[in-house]
Amino acid sequence: MAEIVEVKVGDKVYQLPVIEGSEGEKAIDIAKLRAESGLVTIDPGFKNTGSTQSAITFLDGEKGILRYRGYSIEELAEKSSFLEVSYLLINGELPSFTELEMFKSDITHHTLIHEDIKSILDGFPSNAHPMGVLSSLVSSLTAFYPESLDPNRSAEGVNLSILRILAKLPTMAAWAYKNEIGHPVNYPDNRLDYCSNFLKMMFALPTDDYEVDPVVADALDKLLILHADHEQNCSTSTVRLVGSSHASLYASLSGGINALWGPLHGGANQAVIEMLEAIKADGGDVNKYMDKAKDKNDPFRLMGFGHRVYKNFDPRAKIIKKAADDVLAKLGINDPILEIAKGLEEVALSDPYFVERKLYPNVDFYSGIIYRAIGIPTSMFTVMFAIGRLPGWIAQWKEMRENGEPIGRPRQIYTGANLRPFVPMGNR
Ligand code: CMC
């Protein structure tokens, strides 16, 4: 017998079905509540509202579990590669050897971007933030591939759009950076793997030889895996919401990039490094900044701490903290802000304010330190997150389309003025 929840309004009782997920998570299905009772539910920030049933990512915030398609993030980070994980997320299963080779070859085939995109890039001022440039360039793909505007076209057509964006996003990201620093862009080198190719487009100069350091490429690959999906977060929900109006994949992804940009979401990795730098410049007193974070009259928050769903630990942060130690050791870098970060973490983990509120380091706390160590400039950190999150956004958009989900359209409770007569200008 399916479980039922009863809601009593006055003397009327409404029976609401309970939906259960494959990991035992339960939800009250309120879809018919309004039609039957006139009531809507309200939940600002969707803190306790499921927007969909999804088979992509499982996350248990209390236990610190994160799995893509049933595979643990710890195992994927250790044994897989970013493109293999991308295939898994988008297609639902791990690829065979041949499927993966084909996937890589298809992506490599599409890394070049239309020369006219360079003119769009040239139109941006050189100090443009690369996230703004990236979302614009992704949106511009709708003009270069107008067939992509139809999300109802054949599965092959949709797949081609997917391969194109997986291939082109690193090129566009590297070009956004070159624009920021006023250097000529580099074209993709298709002899290289996904991460090495990106690094070369980022760092090669016409004046020097550039060799990709495999330690750096491996570190980047791992970071991208850790960012690849995170179920219904702000940017992913944005991608699904934009796509639910049958807007194209590229339009939906462009929306996702903008949602990711904010400092409470993907922009936190940039904010963390800026915060650590500020603490260092101010003499390195971590306690002073802990006090600021706890002071409700001070807008300062400890960036890289806290998470909407993880209330125990963020499993990605655990992997990244160790990776940060490994990468810095391998590259022979001694970064004082790593010590400041560890100091902050140590104090926070025993401070009642943080313990009571279950605030732990999140994925962004240590990722910026690795990005810095491998030479990625701070303004590009959130762009790196976007490259990592791309396969997750695509998988979620595709699932939403394949499940035929309705257009997203939340309700509200109106709190404004009641009906009143218009007041002519002279009488106001
Ligand atoms: N520093 C100080 N206090 C904090 C922090 C923080 N980083 N995060 C939460 N709190 C306090 C907050 O003031 C509130 O206290 P009180 O109950 O006394 O009012 C309590 O903890 C609950 O916080 P909340 O803002 O209601 O929680 P939320 O679920 O709405 O927000 C969050 C989650 C991630 C936006 C928030 O923790 C935050 O702003 N963290 C810093 C930004 C950050 O690191 N974001 C990256 C998130 S992980 C990457 C990603 O998925 O994008």
Side-chain angles (χ1 to χ4, degrees):
M1 253 282 277
E3 216 175 319
I4 295 284
V5 164
E6 291 189 338
V7 173
K8 195 160 177 252
V9 184
D11 51 7
K12 279 201 137 184
V13 175
Y14 301 96
Q15 298 206 321
L16 305 173
V18 171
I19 297 174
E20 186 166 343
S22 52
E23 289 287 343
E25 289 174 304
K26 290 184 180 177
I28 304 168
D29 179 353
I30 51 113
K32 296 201 176 119
L33 182 64
R34 184 171 180 278
E36 290 174 2
S37 69
L39 291 173
V40 299
T41 54
I42 189 155
D43 179 18
F46 311 118
K47 290 195 175 196
N48 195 37
T49 295
S51 58
T52 189
Q53 296 188 52
S54 176
I56 301 171
T57 288
F58 173 66
L59 194 167
D60 183 328
E62 272 69 37
K63 296 194 184 123
I65 293 174
L66 175 61
R67 294 181 202 142
Y68 301 158
R69 302 281 189 187
Y71 298 100
S72 82
I73 191 67
E74 289 81 5
E75 236 189 328
L76 290 170
E78 193 192 325
K79 300 178 185 165
S80 189
S81 68
F82 177 62
L83 285 190
E84 189 176 40
V85 166
S86 301
Y87 185 101
L88 170 70
L89 285 167
I90 295 167
N91 298 300
E93 295 296 337
L94 285 169
S96 66
F97 179 80
T98 320
E99 284 167 335
L100 183 58
E101 286 307 301
M102 187 103 104
F103 187 61
K104 285 183 190 166
S105 143
D106 285 345
I107 289 175
T108 307
H109 180 73
H110 288 288
T111 50
L112 208 55
I113 54 181
H114 198 290
E115 274 300 287
D116 288 350
I117 291 189
K118 232 161 104 189
S119 332
I120 301 178
L121 188 70
D122 287 342
F124 282 97
S126 64
N127 58 357
H129 194 288
M131 280 297 275
V133 176
L134 194 67
S135 75
S136 307
L137 296 188
V138 169
S139 195
S140 81
L141 290 178
T142 55
F144 293 95
Y145 304 102
E147 69 282 3
S148 71
L149 291 171
D150 176 12
N152 295 315
R153 69 196 195 291
S154 67
E156 292 75 43
V158 171
N159 194 41
L160 181 57
S161 297
I162 291 174
L163 292 169
R164 280 196 171 120
I165 187 67
L166 282 167
K168 293 177 199 308
L169 197 73
T171 312
M172 294 192 286
W175 284 21
Y177 170 58
K178 289 293 190 190
N179 175 67
E180 194 190 7
I181 56 170
H183 283 185
V185 300
N186 289 318
Y187 287 91
D189 180 345
N190 284 348
R191 292 165 300 179
L192 299 177
D193 64 69
Y194 198 75
C195 287
S196 303
N197 190 17
F198 170 72
L199 290 165
K200 188 170 175 195
M201 287 188 286
M202 279 285 290
F203 298 121
L205 294 170
T207 45
D208 287 310
D209 289 336
Y210 177 81
E211 282 284 325
V212 179
D213 182 339
V215 172
V216 172
D218 282 355
L220 179 57
D221 199 77
K222 190 179 284 223
L223 281 173
L224 297 185
I225 293 175
L226 295 175
H227 284 92
D229 195 48
H230 213 234
E231 51 116 301
Q232 308 312 316
N233 55 82
C234 174
S235 57
T236 302
S237 300
T238 301
V239 169
R240 287 184 86 124
L241 194 60
V242 175
S244 77
S245 74
H246 297 195
S248 73
L249 174 65
Y250 300 146
S252 308
L253 293 172
S254 177
I257 292 171
N258 284 322
L260 185 73
W261 194 354
L264 296 191
H265 190 11
N269 52 17
Q270 175 171 346
V272 168
I273 291 293
E274 285 164 357
M275 173 188 80
L276 295 173
E277 284 287 4
I279 298 176
K280 184 175 143 234
D282 195 20
D285 181 359
V286 292
N287 289 310
K288 176 174 166 190
Y289 284 84
M290 292 297 290
D291 289 343
K292 273 167 74 65
K294 291 189 283 185
D295 182 354
K296 292 287 169 207
N297 297 317
D298 189 327
F300 176 80
R301 276 192 167 199
L302 204 54
M303 298 315 289
F305 260 77
H307 200 276
R308 171 61 62 78
V309 286
Y310 291 122
K311 300 299 175 194
N312 179 341
F313 66 92
D314 180 338
R316 304 166 300 172
K318 257 193 171 174
I319 302 171
I320 288 188
K321 183 180 178 186
K322 187 175 173 305
D325 274 331
D326 290 352
V327 172
L328 266 67
K330 276 190 199 156
L331 296 176
I333 296 173
N334 182 11
D335 190 340
I337 69 163
L338 179 61
E339 292 317 308
I340 295 181
K342 285 184 177 169
L344 271 179
E345 180 181 349
E346 203 180 308
V347 178
L349 292 183
S350 58
D351 187 297
Y353 174 97
F354 286 86
V355 174
E356 277 158 23
R357 289 170 180 76
K358 302 190 171 177
L359 302 171
Y360 298 88
N362 58 49
V363 68
D364 286 328
F365 194 61
Y366 287 105
S367 63
I369 293 175
I370 304 186
Y371 286 138
R372 210 162 106 115
I374 64 176
I376 307 282
T378 316
S379 65
M380 283 293 287
F381 286 3
T382 315
V383 169
M384 305 311 299
F385 194 153
I387 296 175
R389 186 54 53 88
L390 180 64
W393 287 335
I394 294 171
Q396 302 270 351
W397 181 90
K398 189 166 168 259
E399 179 181 71
M400 183 262 314
R401 297 285 310 133
E402 287 170 356
N403 289 350
E405 290 184 15
I407 185 167
R409 204 305 186 182
R411 294 274 175 175
Q412 65 162 20
I413 296 296
Y414 176 68
T415 59
N418 296 119
L419 181 65
R420 45 186 173 162
F422 179 74
V423 183
M425 187 62 82
N427 296 347
R428 280 179 219 163

